[in-house]
């Protein structure tokens, strides 16, 4: 039974056209949920950055809690592998701050900008999608010069927090979930 | 059921848990996390190739991220479609260039709004590729894997974002 599940999954994961269909299907439901969650709206995203509306945090934190539990259970059952991204201070922190400045000016992120296009936001299409495409292209142009000098500064590789701490993943998963749930209760308590 | 689908907004917790389930499905069915910004990099490469020819694919960055339609490009196309369904069902679809909060602060000029959005988009596109991910790839998929890079990145996204928003809109205003 277990072998069968594994073979079926392996088959599905290696079929290119089936994978494109899976990506599209997940995207359609993702876009639906982003729009229903309110986070494809400029006012909601900028409201979060002004710390006046915590919808974005609520959506992200509940996605992380559910996803974190589920993915770690699947991993325990040998049905999923982690794919943590490599990072460094020069890449994750510097790039993250540049992203943040853009985030406040644009008022959408790459995923929610696509969602905003679907609900009719012209600024998300012309400014958002157009700008992000140009920015990504500019990055590709300067990438060779940045790679050694900036992107590898303070490298911490693709380590996960449990690996860095040298503990069982559940020793981080459970406290992280509890902290996020605690923050959500606190935010609801303040009425934000 | 249909009434529920027609609602304008759902609880952010329902939407969030649903997105969490989608990210679990992506790991299970596709052995990959959900992300969006790589799709923009690949698409940007595809567009550049139309104008500058096959030499574009030889750029170091595009050797790493080949400019082709992949899972993630399909995901982003799906997001547009799914959001359109949601907005159409609830009747909230409408063409809008200047969001109300922006208009309150900077006025109703659509050109100013699009120019600012474009400048923000350029910074965001660069920053996302610089950091190796966006609010989806780092903010949700990376943090749920407890990746160190993603926790650093998402904190930086919001530090940069909150600081800039406070300056733009006047702190406390």
């Amino acid at each position: 039974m277990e072998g069968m599940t594994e073979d079926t999954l392996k088959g599905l994961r290696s079929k290119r056209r089936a994978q494109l269909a899976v990506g599209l299907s997940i995207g359609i439901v993702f876009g639906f949920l982003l729009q229903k969650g309110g986070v494809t709206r400029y006012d909601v995203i900028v409201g979060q950055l002004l710390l006046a509306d915590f919808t974005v945090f609520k959506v992200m934190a509940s996605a992380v809690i559910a996803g974190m539990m589920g993915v770690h259970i699947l991993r325990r059952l040998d049905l999923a592998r982690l794919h943590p991204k490599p990072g460094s201070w020069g890449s994750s922190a510097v790039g993250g701050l540049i992203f943040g400045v853009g985030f406040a000016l644009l008022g959408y992120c790459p995923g929610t900008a696509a969602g905003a296009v679907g609900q009719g936001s012209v600024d998300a299409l012309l400014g958002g999608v157009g700008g992000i495409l140009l920015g990504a292209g500019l990055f590709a142009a300067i990438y060779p010069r940045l790679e050694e000098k900036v992107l590898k500064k303070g490298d911490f590789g693709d380590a996960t927090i449990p690996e860095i701490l040298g503990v069982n993943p559940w020793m981080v998963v459970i406290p992280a979930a509890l902290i996020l749930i605690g923050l959500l209760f606190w935010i609801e308590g303040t009425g934000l | 059921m249909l009434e529920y689908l027609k609602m304008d907004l759902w609880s952010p917790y329902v939407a969030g848990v649903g997105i969490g389930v989608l990210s679990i499905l992506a790991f299970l069915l596709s052995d990959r996390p959900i992300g969006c910004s790589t799709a923009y990099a690949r698409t940007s490469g595809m567009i550049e190739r139309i104008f500058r020819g096959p030499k574009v694919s030889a750029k170091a960055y595009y050797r790493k991220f080949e400019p082709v339609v992949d899972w993630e490009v399909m995901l982003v196309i799906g997001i547009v479609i799914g959001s359109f369904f949601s907005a159409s069902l609830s009747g909230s679809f409408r063409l809008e260039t200047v969001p109300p909060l922006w208009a309150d602060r900077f006025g109703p000029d659509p050109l100013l709004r699009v120019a600012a959005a474009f400048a923000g988009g350029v910074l965001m596109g660069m920053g996302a590729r610089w950091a190796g991910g966006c609010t989806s790839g780092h903010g949700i998929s990376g943090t749920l894997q407890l990746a160190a890079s993603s926790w650093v990145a998402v904190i930086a996204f919001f530090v940069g974002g909150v600081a800039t928003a406070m300056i733009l809109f006047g702190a406390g205003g």
Side-chain angles (χ1 to χ4, degrees), chain A:
Chain A
M1 180 64 199
E2 220 166 77
M4 229 175 76
T5 321
E6 255 167 56
D7 287 346
T8 316
L9 281 176
K10 221 184 221 173
L12 175 63
R13 289 169 180 176
S14 62
K15 288 194 184 75
R16 191 182 134 76
R17 295 185 73 142
Q19 282 304 315
L20 292 180
V22 172
L24 182 68
S25 312
I26 290 184
I28 290 173
V29 182
F30 191 21
F32 195 93
L33 290 169
L34 288 171
Q35 213 278 335
K36 285 279 182 257
V39 292
T40 52
R41 295 169 197 200
Y42 171 92
D43 288 21
V44 170
I45 294 181
V46 173
Q48 175 66 72
L49 296 177
L50 293 170
L51 307 178
D53 173 342
F54 275 73
T55 307
V56 173
F57 181 77
K58 291 173 191 174
V59 171
M60 286 180 76
S62 42
V64 169
I65 296 166
M68 182 168 64
M69 307 292 283
V71 167
H72 282 86
I73 290 170
L74 285 184
R75 188 172 175 237
R76 186 82 179 74
L77 300 172
D78 275 329
L79 290 172
R81 291 181 301 175
L82 295 187
H83 299 283
K85 294 175 189 252
S88 67
W89 294 109
S91 139
S92 317
V94 177
L97 289 172
I98 298 170
F99 181 99
V101 176
F103 198 13
L105 268 170
L106 174 57
Y108 309 102
C109 60
T112 53
V117 170
Q119 75 191 9
S121 303
V122 179
D123 55 337
L125 176 65
L126 300 180
V129 174
I132 297 169
L133 285 172
L134 178 62
L138 289 175
F139 180 79
I142 60 170
Y143 172 73
R145 266 166 291 167
L146 283 177
E147 198 187 4
E148 293 299 323
K149 273 186 227 154
V150 183
L151 300 178
K152 288 186 177 158
K153 281 278 178 299
D155 191 39
F156 41 75
D158 62 359
T160 63
I161 296 169
E163 283 166 8
I164 291 170
L165 298 175
V167 297
N168 182 297
W170 291 100
M171 299 288 287
V172 183
V173 169
I174 304 285
L178 290 175
I179 290 170
L180 287 174
I181 291 170
L183 282 172
L184 290 172
F185 268 98
W186 179 66
I187 287 165
E188 288 295 340
T190 61
L192 283 168

Side-chain angles (χ1 to χ4, degrees), chain B residues 47-136:
Chain B
I47 295 170
E48 194 181 339
R49 202 167 49 193
I50 294 172
F51 294 103
R52 303 187 51 220
K55 68 178 178 194
V56 170
S57 308
K59 281 189 179 179
Y61 197 69
Y62 294 129
R63 284 204 297 267
K64 234 173 115 185
F65 298 99
E66 206 190 329
V68 291
V69 173
D70 75 333
W71 192 97
E72 206 170 298
V73 174
M74 296 303 285
L75 179 96
V76 173
I77 295 170
I79 293 175
V80 180
I81 298 170
S83 172
F84 175 72
F85 282 156
S86 167
S88 302
L89 276 169
S90 64
S92 63
F93 180 91
R94 65 166 184 279
L95 291 179
E96 179 188 272
T97 307
V98 186
L101 186 61
W102 176 275
D104 273 355
R105 172 83 181 157
F106 300 103
D109 181 1
L111 266 178
L112 178 67
R113 169 56 195 149
V114 170
F118 192 82
V122 171
L123 287 170
M124 170 169 281
M126 283 193 73
R129 299 326 304 153
W130 195 306
C134 63
T135 346
S136 306

